[in-house]
Amino acid sequence: MALIELRKLNKIYPNGVHALVDVDLTVQEGEFLVVIGLSGSGKSTLLRCINRLIEPTSGQILYRGQDVTHIQGKDLRQYRKKIGMIFQQFNLIKRRTVLLNVLTGALGSLPVLPSILERFPDNLRQEAMEKLRIVGLEDKWNVRVDALSGGQQQRVAIARSLMQHPEVLLADEPVASLDPATSHSVMKYLKQLNTDYGMTIICNLHFLSLVRTYGTRVVALKQGKLIFQGKPEEITQEWFKEIYGEEAEEVEIA
Amino acid sequence: MGTETKSQTTTAQKFQALILDIFFGIYFVVTLHRVFYYQVLLSLRKLPPVTVEIVLLYIGIGTILGLALFVLNASPGKLIFRQLPDIPWKKAVAEHFLWIIGVLTIATGWVVTRVSILDFFSQEGLAGAKRIFSALLSPEWSILPQALLAIVETIYLALMATLFALPVAFILSFFTARNLMRQSPITLGIYTVLRVLVNFTRSIEPLIWAIIFTVWVGIGPFAGTLALMVHTIASLTKLYSEQIENVDPGPIEAIEATGAHPMQVIWFAVVPQIVLPFLSFTIYRWDINVRMATIIGLVGGGGIGTLLMQYQGLAQWHEVGLLVLIIAIVVWIMDYLSARIREALV
């Protein structure tokens, strides 16, 4: 059974923008799926529909065969817990420490009141330290995140999502605001989660060179439509021009 | 669909330009006739009475003038909304018309506020100024204890008004933040009603609130506190809610994505972003309130303002001088402290 299945998914924003048009997509467990396309092609919307940060206008979302398109409240929160997410802008709580930011990843399994008083159980703190070790930041646990570099902040965000014990990790342009060297370091952590922990990764990317290095499968969006599905090496020059437009030139990321 | 909305907005803008032109036309006719003709050209002290006929005449001529400018595309309204076709001489007409309106406005202001260089530099006037300044500059120190007690009352009055207003404004601000309230028509309705109420309350000066409350609860510091409180609630609500509207939605998404409860989302993603600006606004507001509290005393709101009013009524200018001095020092200290604290916060 497929892990995630999208059926005829449509999203029309209140301003009339048709961001997703009849998208059918199946994601198998253990894939490193890369989504490519121009800015505004609907990549971010697609990712946010999967964990329902954005409500699709029509269509169906199935998770392990179960319809999650309209679940609400506690069910929705339980479902979101299984799906970690990292963002282009990292979206950390800037004035707080690395450790607290990682701990917020566990909010879905904590009762509301104690968590608001920031009473986190000791075993959770230890676990947060372990996650920081995975991303190589255990010595920074007591530093405010706004004192970290972009690459380090993205690794904190990865550690935060690991606290959810996610089955899937959604990565929305995770390296778009990072320099080339840092980009590779962050992508390697994602690859490691995919190969060592068998985590399914769905990742929006700009650079084709990164796609070829890290992805196991690629889909391309253009004006909200899914126009390509296949292996990274199957993206020929013709497909490239089709996806990015006639004027586009491929640039390598070092 | 895109072109349709575009043509709709230009129709709306055209209408706005037309209204503006008619307004300018009427304004031009009225100021030209009543200010420029009667008071500048004829130097009349007493203006002829305004009759219904003359008002209708003003409106009629003004409307025709505005319509003419609008139709001929020499329209100042269209100029302001940037929809004037590029014909140099018509543009020049519109621009010059606006300049004339500007000059007429200043002339009207001059006449209405009765600016008189003669009064300012008259023998008698200068003697009065000398008398009051020399008295103010030699303050009467014997009333210092009384004055200090009064200024302490003023500071506490401002503090209590700020503290009482704070929780109310805090709660209201979430309901007047557009980004949190646009989900459903019901919440949007609540938002609109509260916004109108808050803006209305804020547009009434604390001094007027003080007059209302001195009638309600009697003369004294309590009336002053209530007046400041009402105004503070309104202005803090506005400042707070604007801050909430400006929060970065990124952390909200990130915390939502972990499967967190909405309460946890607000606590971990919204509150950290607003707590320091809120504190900063609150201190700033206290600082403003101390300044306002001295004024509010003038209408019986208690504190040093009331004392000031008493001595001023008795023309005891040396005592007034001391009070003014103390107000100046305290306001300066508050201003300095609040600026330093806010700097440290942000």
Side-chain angles (χ1 to χ4, degrees):
Chain A
M1 187 196 306
L3 182 67
I4 297 169
E5 210 183 322
L6 308 179
R7 287 183 190 160
K8 289 236 171 290
L9 208 62
N10 278 278
K11 174 64 190 180
I12 303 169
Y13 284 105
N15 63 6
V17 174
H18 206 150
L20 292 178
V21 184
D22 289 335
V23 172
D24 285 301
L25 177 65
T26 306
V27 184
Q28 300 296 336
E29 200 156 4
E31 271 193 290
F32 195 123
L33 176 70
V34 179
V35 185
I36 57 172
L38 289 170
S39 304
S41 61
K43 306 192 297 288
S44 290
T45 307
L46 179 73
L47 238 58
R48 281 168 174 74
C49 278
I50 293 175
N51 67 353
R52 296 264 317 276
L53 284 180
I54 288 177
E55 297 291 343
T57 310
S58 68
Q60 248 188 334
I61 308 160
L62 303 181
Y63 190 83
R64 294 192 190 282
Q66 278 196 316
D67 191 340
V68 293
T69 327
H70 301 291
I71 53 169
Q72 287 298 337
K74 203 170 169 52
D75 292 336
L76 177 60
R77 299 202 291 275
Q78 290 292 335
Y79 166 62
R80 279 180 178 160
K81 249 177 67 184
K82 297 178 201 160
I83 303 174
M85 188 163 187
I86 61 172
F87 305 82
Q88 177 179 351
Q89 297 301 334
F90 325 128
N91 293 350
L92 301 168
I93 310 167
K94 289 199 179 64
R95 294 169 187 277
R96 304 304 300 271
T97 63
V98 168
L99 186 69
L100 183 105
N101 269 282
V102 177
L103 284 167
T104 57
L107 283 177
S109 1
L110 290 170
V112 174
L113 204 59
S115 72
I116 280 178
L117 299 170
E118 294 183 15
R119 297 233 173 97
F120 297 104
D122 279 340
N123 61 337
L124 218 57
R125 285 174 187 276
Q126 277 159 20
E127 196 190 333
M129 288 303 287
E130 276 163 38
K131 305 301 183 200
L132 278 173
R133 214 161 292 138
I134 295 177
V135 296
L137 286 172
E138 70 269 35
D139 54 327
K140 300 275 190 198
W141 68 275
N142 203 20
V143 177
R144 264 170 62 152
V145 287
D146 52 7
L148 299 181
S149 71
Q152 289 171 326
Q153 291 195 32
Q154 194 59 292
R155 278 144 65 194
V156 174
I158 294 174
R160 171 175 69 186
S161 68
L162 293 182
M163 289 299 283
Q164 294 172 236
H165 308 285
E167 297 167 357
V168 185
L169 186 65
L170 307 175
D172 186 23
E173 309 270 5
V175 297
S177 19
L178 302 177
D179 61 65
T182 325
S183 293
H184 275 294
S185 128
V186 166
M187 289 306 293
K188 273 178 191 148
Y189 281 112
L190 295 185
K191 188 76 194 168
Q192 188 191 337
L193 296 177
N194 179 240
T195 49
D196 298 1
Y197 299 84
M199 200 181 291
T200 309
I201 313 271
I202 306 176
C203 181
N204 290 346
L205 282 179
H206 265 128
F207 286 103
L208 263 184
S209 58
L210 288 177
V211 177
R212 297 203 184 92
T213 318
Y214 298 101
T216 58
R217 194 160 73 95
V218 186
V219 297
L221 284 171
K222 189 180 184 180
Q223 291 168 351
K225 295 190 186 84
L226 205 66
I227 58 165
F228 176 88
Q229 297 205 45
K231 299 256 172 246
E233 54 272 20
E234 287 168 17
I235 301 182
T236 56
Q237 199 58 32
E238 287 75 54
W239 271 114
F240 180 80
K241 296 251 184 248
E242 175 65 32
I243 297 163
Y244 288 98
E246 285 300 324
E247 302 289 303
E249 295 266 357
E250 190 176 347
V251 283
E252 284 285 321
I253 180 166
Chain B
M1 201 198 84
T3 52
E4 194 182 300
T5 51
K6 201 178 170 196
S7 71
Q8 266 172 11
T9 54
T10 49
T11 324
Q13 277 176 348
K14 259 186 194 156
F15 186 67
Q16 285 172 357
L18 177 65
I19 296 287
L20 211 58
D21 280 344
I22 292 175
F23 167 78
F24 279 143
I26 297 172
Y27 182 79
F28 174 76
V29 172
V30 171
T31 49
L32 191 73
H33 186 234
R34 294 200 75 79
V35 177
F36 190 73
Y37 179 69
Y38 281 147
Q39 304 196 30
V40 179
L41 282 188
L42 301 182
S43 304
L44 288 185
R45 278 269 159 181
K46 208 162 158 55
L47 293 186
V50 183
T51 58
V52 179
E53 292 83 48
I54 196 102
V55 168
L56 288 178
L57 204 61
Y58 285 150
I59 293 176
I61 298 174
T63 309
I64 291 167
L65 181 65
L67 276 174
L69 288 172
F70 183 81
V71 173
L72 290 173
N73 266 328
S75 144
K78 285 185 187 173
L79 184 74
I80 287 170
F81 290 115
R82 298 180 194 290
Q83 356 164 309
L84 211 56
D86 216 6
I87 305 166
W89 73 268
K90 289 188 173 180
K91 217 171 191 169
V93 170
E95 274 169 11
H96 282 92
F97 189 71
L98 281 177
W99 274 110
I100 293 170
I101 294 243
V103 170
L104 276 174
T105 300
I106 291 170
T108 309
W110 188 277
V111 170
V112 167
T113 54
R114 299 195 173 53
V115 174
S116 166
I117 303 288
L118 280 179
D119 284 348
F120 198 78
F121 288 112
S122 73
Q123 206 65 39
E124 204 183 331
L126 285 178
K130 200 182 154 204
R131 198 168 59 239
I132 194 165
F133 273 114
S134 61
L136 289 176
L137 290 174
S138 57
E140 174 59 54
W141 291 95
S142 67
I143 61 155
L144 185 65
Q146 194 190 4
L148 285 180
L149 211 65
I151 192 86
V152 166
E153 192 176 280
T154 297
I155 293 173
Y156 273 92
L157 191 154
L159 179 68
M160 290 319 278
T162 317
L163 286 182
F164 282 142
L166 197 147
V168 183
F170 182 81
I171 293 167
L172 279 179
S173 65
F174 286 90
F175 292 99
T176 49
R178 195 178 177 80
N179 54 342
L180 300 181
M181 297 299 281
R182 62 171 162 227
Q183 266 81 357
S184 78
I186 300 166
T187 53
L188 203 62
I190 297 172
Y191 160 86
T192 314
V193 170
L194 283 176
R195 257 276 143 104
V196 168
L197 219 63
V198 161
N199 282 335
F200 182 71
T201 311
R202 212 169 51 93
S203 64
I204 298 174
E205 282 292 311
L207 201 64
I208 295 168
W209 283 112
I211 293 170
I212 294 170
F213 282 115
T214 46
V215 174
W216 192 337
V217 301
I219 287 174
F222 185 51
T225 311
L226 285 176
L228 278 182
M229 193 183 89
V230 168
H231 197 258
T232 304
I233 288 174
S235 54
L236 278 184
T237 300
K238 188 169 168 68
L239 286 173
Y240 286 175
S241 62
E242 272 165 14
Q243 196 61 37
I244 295 175
E245 282 169 3
N246 285 332
V247 297
D248 174 10
I252 298 176
E253 276 193 320
I255 301 292
E256 272 183 348
T258 66
H261 189 271
M263 284 291 294
Q264 292 171 319
V265 175
I266 289 187
W267 186 257
F268 285 99
V270 181
V271 171
Q273 292 191 62
I274 58 176
V275 72
L276 285 183
F278 273 31
L279 214 60
S280 163
F281 286 143
T282 312
I283 292 168
Y284 176 56
R285 189 64 212 183
W286 182 28
D287 169 21
I288 292 178
N289 277 351
V290 170
R291 240 173 295 169
M292 282 188 171
T294 61
I295 301 293
I296 275 181
L298 297 179
V299 294
I304 199 159
T306 305
L307 208 57
L308 187 78
M309 206 56 197
Q310 286 165 12
Y311 284 114
Q312 182 262 334
L314 299 168
Q316 293 179 321
W317 299 114
H318 296 282
E319 283 79 357
V320 170
L322 181 82
L323 296 177
V324 169
L325 184 70
I326 287 184
I327 290 173
I329 292 173
V330 168
V331 165
W332 179 75
I333 292 175
M334 288 298 296
D335 197 45
Y336 176 79
L337 280 182
S338 106
R340 288 303 293 269
I341 295 172
R342 280 182 286 130
E343 255 170 50
L345 282 177
V346 182

